[in-house]
Amino acid sequence: MPSATFSMRMDAKTKKALESEAQRRDRSAAYIAGEAIAAYLDKQAYKRECLLEAAAEADKSVFISEEAMDRWMDSWGD
């Protein structure tokens, strides 16, 4: 995939930690930051998908009653 330039500001402590991690992994700081951003975006997309699926289920209006939930929880015992 072609790459594109992206710049951002970060506090000095985070930049130093990023550079240290990059050095430990023998990678560039840009590579590590790109990995982190991609992982964050994947996680957000997954959460969004889960929420949309949950909303679709809720829209079906199929819910368990409070009494049934209480009976189920009581079946766990003490």
Side-chain angles (χ1 to χ4, degrees), residues 9-48:
R9 293 196 176 275
M10 67 179 70
D11 64 74
K13 183 178 176 182
T14 301
K15 183 175 186 261
K16 184 172 181 175
L18 175 61
E19 290 168 342
S20 293
E21 180 63 21
Q23 187 174 20
R24 278 191 294 277
R25 292 183 51 195
D26 195 29
R27 294 288 189 166
S28 69
Y31 179 86
I32 303 299
E35 276 190 332
I37 291 168
Y40 171 81
L41 293 173
D42 287 347
K43 181 180 174 183
Q44 293 306 307
Y46 176 73
K47 286 171 65 175
R48 189 175 311 103

Side-chain angles (χ1 to χ4, degrees), residues 49-76:
E49 182 181 329
C50 289
L51 288 171
L52 290 173
E53 288 176 13
E57 282 294 311
D59 287 345
K60 293 177 186 176
S61 298
V62 178
F63 299 98
I64 187 170
S65 70
E66 182 179 353
E67 293 79 20
M69 179 63 77
D70 288 341
R71 281 194 306 275
W72 177 63
M73 290 180 67
D74 288 343
S75 74
W76 295 354

